[in-house]
Amino acid sequence: MKEPARILVVGGGYVGMYTALRLQRKLRRGEATVIVVDPEPYMTYQPFLPEAAAGSISPRHVVVPLRRTLDKCQVVIGEVKSVDHAKRTAAITTLASHEEGTGAVQIRYDELILAPGSVSRTLPVPGLADYGIGFKTVEEAIGLRNHVLEQMDIASSTRDPAVRDAALTFVFVGGGYAGVEALAELEDMARYAARYYHNLEPDDLKFVLVEATGRILPEVGEEMGAYALRELRGRNIDVRLDTRLDSCADRIAVLSDGSRFPTRTLVWTAGVKAHPVLAATDLPLNGRGRLKCTPTLGVDGVEHAWGAGDAAAVPDLTADDPETTVCAPNAQHAVRQAKVLAHNVLASLRGKPLKDYRHKYVGSVASLGLHKGVAHVYGRKLKGYPAWFMHRAYHLSRIPTFNRKARVLAEWTLTGLFKREIVSLGSLENPRAEFELAADTGRHPEAS
Ligand SMILES: Cc1cc2nc3c(=O)[nH]c(=O)nc-3n(C[C@H](O)[C@H](O)[C@H](O)COP(=O)(O)OP(=O)(O)OC[C@H]3O[C@@H](n4cnc5c(N)ncnc54)[C@H](O)[C@@H]3O)c2cc1C
């Protein structure tokens, strides 16, 4: 009897999780084993991160547990370090291999699906590596929420005006949807929270958005981007276009227009780049480090290797010049590519013809805080409450599994009925602090 094929999926994000989900539904018994490797036991629904930062959705509902969703796959919590496709092996480190100091283990496969996504694109700005924080993970989103509320606590309790000003100044770099939504949701939450501080006014908080080009939110088109800009400026957010961050050394954000902002919060959302693990494979990459793929999502010129999502350069067959245009790194493409990818991997196992990936980008929705938003989808332009509602409805329909949809909907309904949560749980980052204090104060009597 033929051995089941081994399909290795690197990354359990949009592409990895959706592809594995479809494969587990469509594979015949004994046809193949699907192994999904990801450092985290969950898939992150990134478009909900800004709402998680604002406290409108709890962190657990922004993620989808891989083990439960992919119950017919083998889920390995680990990190792929390198791939030797010529030998059909991948080197993986796991929590256990770290603890035991045994180094990477080799996993053998027959079909490889590479979907490790992207990482923040940083620049050699002085101080950025020391003080910056990204906005791609649930840890970053919740860490930032706690941090912002903690800065308000610091500002409220200090007598030093310089400390107070720096604590209340929040600088965001990058005016794409991640940066704008993160800033808008956090600003909305923080100004609301200010009413509960006896010595802070909403206008004491200073939010600055730094964008190197002349516009924000290119994803929603020029007109809606201009509306979002007016909306943010109308909320007293200092948006600086055609401006770059030159330095943030010593916790002072220095901008290319000469302005300086002492700050303890620097959020970097200036784009993404292909995941560095791709460079540790023997597969072809384009000039930007993304996997060179064909319209059928196979790796160019290589058999039994596939790629999609942020990590892959897939020709955009709907573009005027598909030879030179590749699909943008976004969830819209990632989800749809996953569908074609699963189809093609199955077709290739069964010796059937492959499909091309073809999807015309239909636009974007962005939330600008509670009940505020902007959208440009299927040619329709919406702003304010209708856009915000559409943003929620669209993402609710997209978040995977019925279970997750129900939880998010229930949570929105509850948060709509009650006041917003404004508590910082930053102390979660140091759960032993209380016990360490107790242990130290409870010294053995004979010790003194
Ligand atoms: C804040 C924010 C908001 C966004 N909003 C939108 C939006 O409104 N609309 C939209 O279209 N797009 C949006 N995006 C972009 C969208 O989330 C990405 O394009 C999409 O997640 C890409 O899917 P992917 O599968 O390629 O990567 P990911 O979903 O990032 O998945 C990659 C996975 O690979 C794993 N991984 C990484 N390294 C390794 C390794 N070495 N070994 C194994 N696994 C590894 C990661 O842990 C992760 O789970 C947003 C992104 C962010 C950050």
Side-chain angles (χ1 to χ4, degrees):
M1 208 174 99
K2 208 176 146 207
E3 281 273 293
R6 287 169 65 83
I7 305 174
L8 176 65
V9 184
V10 179
Y14 268 88
V15 169
M17 198 212 66
Y18 277 108
T19 309
L21 192 61
R22 223 175 159 78
L23 285 173
Q24 79 174 12
R25 282 191 195 135
K26 303 261 171 181
L27 278 167
R28 297 182 195 124
R29 187 185 283 270
E31 194 176 13
T33 307
V34 182
I35 306 148
V36 181
V37 184
D38 197 293
E40 306 298 343
Y42 49 78
M43 175 255 189
T44 305
Y45 192 81
Q46 289 171 341
F48 274 159
L49 290 180
E51 289 217 35
S56 307
I57 306 181
S58 49
R60 260 175 295 128
H61 297 164
V62 177
V63 298
V64 181
L66 293 179
R67 288 192 196 284
R68 188 160 72 199
T69 312
L70 302 177
D71 56 348
K72 296 196 185 82
C73 302
Q74 292 178 13
V75 175
V76 178
I77 305 308
E79 199 179 334
V80 172
K81 291 292 190 187
S82 61
V83 174
D84 187 342
H85 190 65
K87 293 194 179 136
R88 304 283 192 272
T89 56
I92 295 173
T93 55
T94 61
L95 288 177
S97 70
H98 276 301
E99 218 173 278
E100 294 155 8
T102 49
V105 288
Q106 302 291 327
I107 289 202
R108 191 184 54 73
Y109 62 81
D110 301 303
E111 299 285 337
L112 173 71
I113 297 175
L114 259 180
S118 52
V119 294
S120 297
R121 177 163 46 87
T122 53
L123 295 172
V125 174
L128 181 61
D130 301 318
Y131 302 118
I133 178 166
F135 200 78
K136 267 188 76 62
T137 65
V138 70
E139 294 81 0
E140 286 170 334
I142 303 308
L144 200 54
R145 169 188 171 77
N146 290 332
H147 171 84
V148 167
L149 291 167
E150 201 174 280
Q151 295 314 304
M152 293 173 72
D153 288 335
I154 291 170
S156 162
S157 52
T158 181
R159 294 210 174 112
D160 183 337
V163 171
R164 180 181 160 102
D165 276 359
L168 294 181
T169 302
F170 306 95
V171 179
F172 289 66
V173 184
Y177 46 48
V180 169
E181 285 191 310
L183 168 118
E185 288 282 357
L186 279 161
E187 182 264 354
D188 200 42
M189 181 276 293
R191 291 211 212 267
Y192 170 86
R195 71 179 67 181
Y196 297 105
Y197 289 78
H198 68 284
N199 56 357
L200 289 188
E201 292 297 326
D203 281 347
D204 294 343
L205 287 95
K206 187 171 192 56
F207 280 82
V208 184
L209 176 63
V210 184
E211 165 56 42
T213 70
R215 59 195 278 200
I216 60 166
L217 281 182
E219 298 85 356
V220 294
E222 206 157 324
E223 192 189 324
M224 291 293 100
Y227 163 79
L229 182 62
R230 283 196 305 277
E231 157 77 20
L232 296 184
R233 284 184 169 155
R235 281 156 57 176
N236 208 9
I237 295 171
D238 184 351
V239 185
R240 310 238 168 171
L241 301 180
D242 297 310
T243 308
R244 292 179 321 278
L245 175 76
D246 279 349
S247 164
C248 55
D250 304 323
R251 293 188 184 273
I252 299 174
V254 181
L255 308 188
S256 56
D257 62 6
S259 45
R260 295 161 62 85
F261 297 98
T263 177
R264 295 150 161 249
T265 314
L266 192 114
V267 187
W268 181 266
T269 54
V272 293
K273 63 178 182 192
H275 198 287
V277 72
L278 298 173
T281 69
D282 51 353
L283 298 169
L285 307 182
N286 76 355
R288 292 177 173 255
R290 291 171 90 187
L291 264 184
K292 267 194 198 166
C293 288
T294 63
T296 58
L297 306 174
V299 177
D300 203 6
V302 182
E303 287 191 321
H304 307 292
W306 310 84
D310 286 11
V314 176
D316 183 352
L317 298 184
T318 67
D320 294 339
D321 185 4
E323 296 281 308
T324 53
T325 316
V326 295
C327 298
N330 59 52
Q332 208 176 109
H333 282 305
V335 174
R336 287 169 174 88
Q337 286 174 354
K339 199 169 164 188
V340 176
L341 183 51
H343 173 277
N344 284 352
V345 171
L346 281 173
S348 137
L349 285 177
R350 295 171 186 170
K352 300 254 170 72
L354 308 186
K355 267 197 222 168
D356 278 349
Y357 173 73
R358 181 188 296 271
H359 168 71
K360 192 152 184 63
Y361 192 63
V362 297
S364 246
V365 286
S367 138
L368 298 176
L370 196 61
H371 303 159
K372 306 165 192 91
V374 59
H376 188 176
V377 187
Y378 293 115
R380 280 184 68 94
K381 296 170 188 160
L382 295 174
K383 44 194 179 189
Y385 189 92
W388 171 83
F389 188 79
M390 184 167 184
H391 170 265
R392 281 203 159 179
Y394 173 77
H395 285 300
L396 186 68
S397 73
R398 294 283 148 178
I399 191 164
T401 78
F402 175 74
N403 181 306
R404 208 78 351 207
K405 289 189 208 315
R407 283 170 193 253
V408 170
L409 187 60
E411 199 165 11
W412 278 341
T413 311
L414 277 178
T415 44
L417 293 176
F418 299 104
K419 289 180 180 167
R420 297 175 77 153
E421 288 291 357
I422 54 142
V423 75
S424 156
L425 289 178
S427 49
L428 282 180
E429 282 157 35
N430 187 7
R432 295 197 67 241
E434 176 74 18
F435 188 73
E436 277 167 3
L437 178 74
D440 197 34
T441 50
R443 285 197 198 99
H444 198 281
E446 282 173 22
S448 54

